[in-house]
Amino acid sequence: MAGHIPSNLIDEVRSAVNIVDIISQYVSLTKKGKDYVGLCPFHQEKTPSFTVSESKQFFKCFGCGKGGNVFKFLMDKENISFPESVISVAKIAHITIPGEYNNDAIYKKNPIKQIYSDATEFYQHILLTTKLGEVALKYVQERELTSEIISHFKIGYAPKADNILYIFLKQKNYSQDLLEQSGLFIKNEKGKLLDRFRDRLMFPLCDELGDPIAFSGRRISNDSQIAKYVNSPETPLFTKSKLLYHFSEAKHAVNAENHLILYEGYMDVIAAYKCGIKTGVASMGTSLTSQQVYMLRRVTPNIIINYDGDDPGQHAMERAIKLFNYPNINLGIVSLPEHLDPDEYVKKYGPEKYVNEVKAAITSTEFLLQRMSKKYNLFNDRDKLDFINESIALIAKNDDPIEIDIYIQKLAQKLQVSVESLKARLLREQRKIRTAINHQKQIQALYPTDEVTPKQLDNVHSSSVSFTEQKRLLFLFIHNDNARLYLLTKKFIFPNESYQQLADLWLSYLEKNPNPNISGFADFIPKDLQSIIVNMELTDMPYTFSEGEIDDQIASLIKQKTILEMQRLYDQIKVAQQKNDSQLIIQLTQKIIELKRKII
């Protein structure tokens, strides 16, 4: 329910934004008819089943079933409360929520998230304004990290002290239990909490809303006995495999730059930012995961990978390419010379040259062919033939005939062989691929998997009576005053109690709201009924009606109910037959005959 924020203020906030604009910050949406579609941000899928209706201001995933209005989207995506979602949308819409609502305890952040927010401000304060931070500030300035960079990336400094953060947070009245859960502290043998990060430059790791939920601390001393990087341990808020550094900020710049760039570490993201590239993200030096790939491709199909130029970095790019094996992904690769990482390249050659490297990104196929050629001595005929076989096997996996033609032409020119001979080899490889695919399909047909796709069912308590008629009647009850009056006059009761509850709630909502709207009604009703409204609204139905149509819908519902009652009686007859109860069989048969007369 709506909580303490007044309903008129909630309506103002909701109507001030377009749900398409909000969801576009999380999902790359494509116009399809009157709606928008994209990859669901709540579950991984290969083809888009996530729909956003601009006219209705609702979203719905037909794969996992999630749906609702703009507030429900943020509640589900960011795991926040209804009041928090209203406040978040209000900030986007530049609407001020009065302090009496904004500061209520019910609207405060998750306490661990609030701890990280306070810690971020504390570390940044130490870096920029205290004597303790002078050494770190000098270190930062030597690396040409400007005040704008420090502010944008929220960089701070954890001083060389055992418990300075602990004392600061205890003064803010955080409980010992919460501080232990935060991951910001370690326990010594006496059970005392000590700061996990000491004498380190602090880089906050943020969630999709841009709120800090973890840290990565970089050593600033030259002591090689100490780990160069220390990251927060995983917590209920932070799972390393599901986070990309700078993702919250980068996705907002996608429309301007038309791509995301994937790096290995945060210093590469910062180096790119200094060059004017705002769309850099990093997987924090760990192996790229399928969850991180999904985060990227639901924001944009245009992705560039620029890992370190050394052998481990190049191998990591090869592994990453395999994870992007999805249709409609436009993957670019930047492989820097001299084994340099992006940060080193920018320092050596400057921003302009680095930007040109990004603009000159090659395709993943071209990158893999270049890597492949380094394994062979192409002056040796045997090696040359092996290289041709491996190259053709790679090219044959491509579906675009133009790309295939480009690679065949380049290969022919590089190896001094005819295009025709390479195409003949290509056709043979493509036949092998088709045969393998067909064989796999035959196996799947013989041995189907037990995987079940989630069904899109209305949230109901009985599934015995068809919901097509009830959905139509509820739609008219809500959207057409005359239809509602006609149904009330006929004293119509929905067979399903959830639908009837929604009808009653709509009448209550009309009494309390002078300007009723369906999106506001979704906030007014219990959570377990919202999916019925979303499903109804995303079904294409006319707002006009005739009394005859309503009578037909009601008659259909009565007929279905009668048929179900007859089926129940038939089941009872089978039981009576097993018991040889002839008297009960006669009674039940008479009831069935009476019911049949009603529907003939």
Side-chain angles (χ1 to χ4, degrees):
M1 304 294 279
H4 300 295
I5 303 176
S7 58
N8 63 326
L9 185 53
I10 293 171
D11 289 341
E12 181 188 353
V13 171
R14 189 192 312 104
S15 60
V17 297
N18 185 340
I19 193 171
V20 174
D21 296 333
I22 302 297
I23 293 179
S24 291
Q25 296 177 21
Y26 296 82
V27 180
S28 176
L29 296 174
T30 304
K31 192 91 185 304
K32 193 173 183 181
K34 62 182 181 3
D35 295 328
Y36 291 81
V37 297
L39 292 169
C40 179
F42 302 110
H43 80 288
Q44 289 194 39
E45 58 183 4
K46 291 184 178 179
T47 54
S49 63
F50 183 80
T51 299
V52 183
S53 170
E54 187 171 29
S55 59
K56 301 290 182 70
Q57 291 293 296
F58 280 114
F59 74 92
K60 174 73 178 180
C61 177
F62 294 94
C64 67
K66 285 192 181 291
N69 62 15
V70 66
F71 299 138
K72 187 68 168 63
F73 178 83
L74 288 176
M75 288 167 68
D76 288 344
K77 188 71 192 79
E78 301 298 343
N79 193 27
I80 57 178
S81 67
F82 177 79
E84 283 178 307
S85 71
V86 174
I87 291 167
S88 294
V89 175
K91 287 178 182 176
I92 294 168
H94 304 294
I95 293 173
T96 302
I97 300 292
E100 60 194 282
Y101 309 118
N102 209 347
N103 294 329
D104 195 297
I106 189 175
Y107 311 134
K108 286 187 177 177
K109 290 179 181 177
N110 174 302
I112 294 180
K113 189 181 271 195
Q114 187 63 52
I115 285 174
Y116 273 94
S117 181
D118 288 339
T120 299
E121 290 182 14
F122 178 68
Y123 285 144
Q124 197 162 47
H125 169 76
I126 288 176
L127 174 67
L128 296 175
T129 63
T130 70
K131 194 167 185 63
L132 280 173
E134 285 179 356
V135 174
L137 190 60
K138 183 182 177 185
Y139 176 92
V140 164
Q141 290 167 344
E142 286 172 354
R143 278 150 186 78
E144 299 177 357
L145 299 182
T146 64
S147 57
E148 196 270 329
I149 293 284
I150 293 169
S151 174
H152 178 80
F153 290 95
K154 304 175 185 176
I155 300 169
Y157 174 62
K160 197 172 184 177
D162 286 347
N163 58 359
I164 190 168
L165 178 66
Y166 176 79
I167 293 169
F168 169 74
L169 292 175
K170 284 297 283 184
Q171 288 172 347
K172 285 184 165 284
N173 297 319
Y174 288 112
S175 70
Q176 189 81 357
D177 186 48
L178 271 177
L179 294 177
E180 282 189 44
Q181 291 177 43
S182 72
L184 286 169
F185 306 96
I186 53 176
K187 248 183 191 178
N188 66 9
E189 61 278 1
K190 295 179 181 178
K192 183 180 178 182
L193 290 185
L194 303 175
D195 293 1
R196 179 180 296 274
F197 300 98
R198 282 169 272 180
D199 196 24
R200 290 184 179 275
L201 207 59
M202 300 298 287
F203 296 84
L205 312 180
C206 301
D207 61 15
E208 283 202 49
L209 276 179
D211 292 325
I213 56 171
F215 285 106
S216 183
R218 190 186 195 284
R219 182 189 75 209
I220 65 169
S221 73
N222 295 320
D223 187 354
S224 59
Q225 300 299 309
I226 300 172
K228 188 173 182 180
Y229 296 101
V230 171
N231 293 328
S232 292
E234 294 198 347
T235 67
L237 288 177
F238 171 54
T239 304
K240 198 171 184 181
S241 63
K242 297 179 181 178
L243 181 138
L244 287 165
Y245 181 70
H246 197 241
F247 184 68
S248 172
E249 296 83 357
K251 66 184 181 182
H252 294 303
V254 165
N255 287 340
E257 297 186 25
N258 199 34
H259 57 235
L260 285 169
I261 305 181
L262 178 62
Y263 296 101
E264 281 190 84
Y266 49 75
M267 290 308 296
D268 298 326
V269 173
I270 293 171
Y273 190 88
K274 288 195 286 185
C275 299
I277 294 171
K278 308 294 175 65
T279 53
V281 299
S283 55
M284 300 307 301
T286 59
S287 294
L288 190 67
T289 66
S290 59
Q291 295 100 319
Q292 291 166 332
V293 168
Y294 190 75
M295 287 172 67
L296 294 168
R297 69 187 189 91
R298 70 172 161 79
V299 171
T300 177
N302 304 318
I303 296 154
I304 294 172
I305 306 176
N306 181 196
Y307 284 177
D308 295 356
D310 57 12
D311 283 340
Q314 299 299 289
H315 284 303
M317 279 206 283
E318 288 181 24
R319 291 193 299 270
I321 287 168
K322 293 176 184 176
L323 291 175
F324 284 100
N325 186 27
Y326 291 94
N328 304 318
I329 288 290
N330 177 24
L331 194 62
I333 305 294
V334 176
S335 181
L336 296 174
E338 302 173 38
H339 296 231
L340 296 174
D341 63 35
D343 186 30
E344 291 167 338
Y345 186 93
V346 171
K347 287 173 182 172
K348 185 170 183 178
Y349 293 107
E352 188 178 343
K353 276 203 170 185
Y354 178 71
V355 170
N356 289 335
E357 291 280 359
V358 171
K359 289 178 180 177
I362 60 176
T363 67
S364 57
T365 302
E366 187 173 352
F367 169 76
L368 292 173
L369 287 171
Q370 289 178 5
R371 292 280 296 165
M372 214 178 280
S373 68
K374 292 175 182 177
K375 297 192 301 183
Y376 298 99
N377 175 9
L378 299 183
F379 294 102
N380 178 284
D381 288 345
R382 188 178 174 188
D383 270 17
K384 185 185 288 189
L385 288 170
D386 287 342
F387 173 62
I388 289 172
N389 288 336
E390 195 175 351
S391 299
I392 292 295
L394 174 65
I395 295 168
K397 294 175 184 175
N398 202 310
D399 294 327
D400 189 328
I402 296 174
E403 280 192 46
I404 289 174
D405 196 50
I406 290 171
Y407 300 134
I408 290 292
Q409 295 278 359
K410 283 186 175 182
L411 200 60
Q413 188 175 5
K414 182 183 182 76
L415 301 174
Q416 296 296 299
V417 295
S418 71
V419 169
E420 291 73 20
S421 64
L422 292 177
K423 284 186 175 178
R425 184 67 65 87
L426 176 71
L427 286 171
R428 193 163 67 190
E429 188 65 33
Q430 288 173 327
R431 278 196 297 270
K432 279 170 59 179
I433 292 172
R434 283 195 296 270
T435 301
I437 291 170
N438 290 334
H439 181 63
Q440 187 64 32
K441 286 179 179 177
Q442 289 170 0
I443 292 173
Q444 288 172 350
L446 288 170
Y447 305 102
T449 64
D450 294 328
E451 183 178 325
V452 179
T453 302
K455 294 180 180 179
Q456 304 313 301
L457 299 175
D458 290 338
N459 190 2
V460 294
H461 301 294
S462 64
S463 56
S464 53
V465 180
S466 169
F467 295 110
T468 305
E469 291 87 352
Q470 293 188 83
K471 189 186 291 185
R472 173 63 177 156
L473 290 174
L474 182 62
F475 182 86
L476 290 173
F477 189 91
I478 288 174
H479 289 290
N480 192 301
D481 294 342
N482 292 328
R484 180 168 60 256
L485 183 61
Y486 185 69
L487 285 164
L488 291 171
T489 303
K490 291 181 77 71
K491 297 182 179 178
F492 171 72
I493 302 294
F494 285 90
N496 178 269
E497 70 175 79
S498 292
Y499 279 73
Q500 183 57 45
Q501 188 180 355
L502 282 166
D504 294 338
L505 285 168
W506 179 253
L507 294 176
S508 176
Y509 179 69
L510 289 178
E511 289 178 8
K512 297 176 180 178
N513 291 272
N515 299 304
N517 62 81
I518 194 68
S519 189
F521 181 57
D523 297 327
F524 181 79
I525 62 178
K527 199 181 294 185
D528 62 336
L529 298 177
Q530 290 176 358
S531 64
I532 298 177
I533 294 298
V534 175
N535 288 341
M536 179 188 78
E537 286 301 303
L538 293 183
T539 302
D540 197 13
M541 289 186 277
Y543 289 83
T544 56
F545 80 105
S546 67
E547 292 181 358
E549 180 202 355
I550 289 181
D551 291 340
D552 289 344
Q553 300 279 11
I554 293 174
S556 176
L557 289 171
I558 293 171
K559 183 176 180 179
Q560 289 174 54
K561 190 174 181 181
T562 304
I563 290 170
L564 287 166
E565 177 61 19
M566 288 167 57
Q567 184 60 55
R568 188 179 66 82
L569 293 172
Y570 277 123
D571 292 339
Q572 290 180 18
I573 286 175
K574 288 178 184 177
V575 175
Q577 287 172 337
Q578 291 171 358
K579 296 178 179 178
N580 285 325
D581 190 340
S582 56
Q583 186 64 35
L584 180 58
I585 291 171
I586 292 169
Q587 290 174 3
L588 293 170
T589 303
Q590 286 174 340
K591 288 182 180 179
I592 289 173
I593 292 169
E594 289 172 8
L595 290 172
K596 278 186 177 179
R597 287 178 181 148
K598 289 183 180 180
I599 61 176
I600 293 175

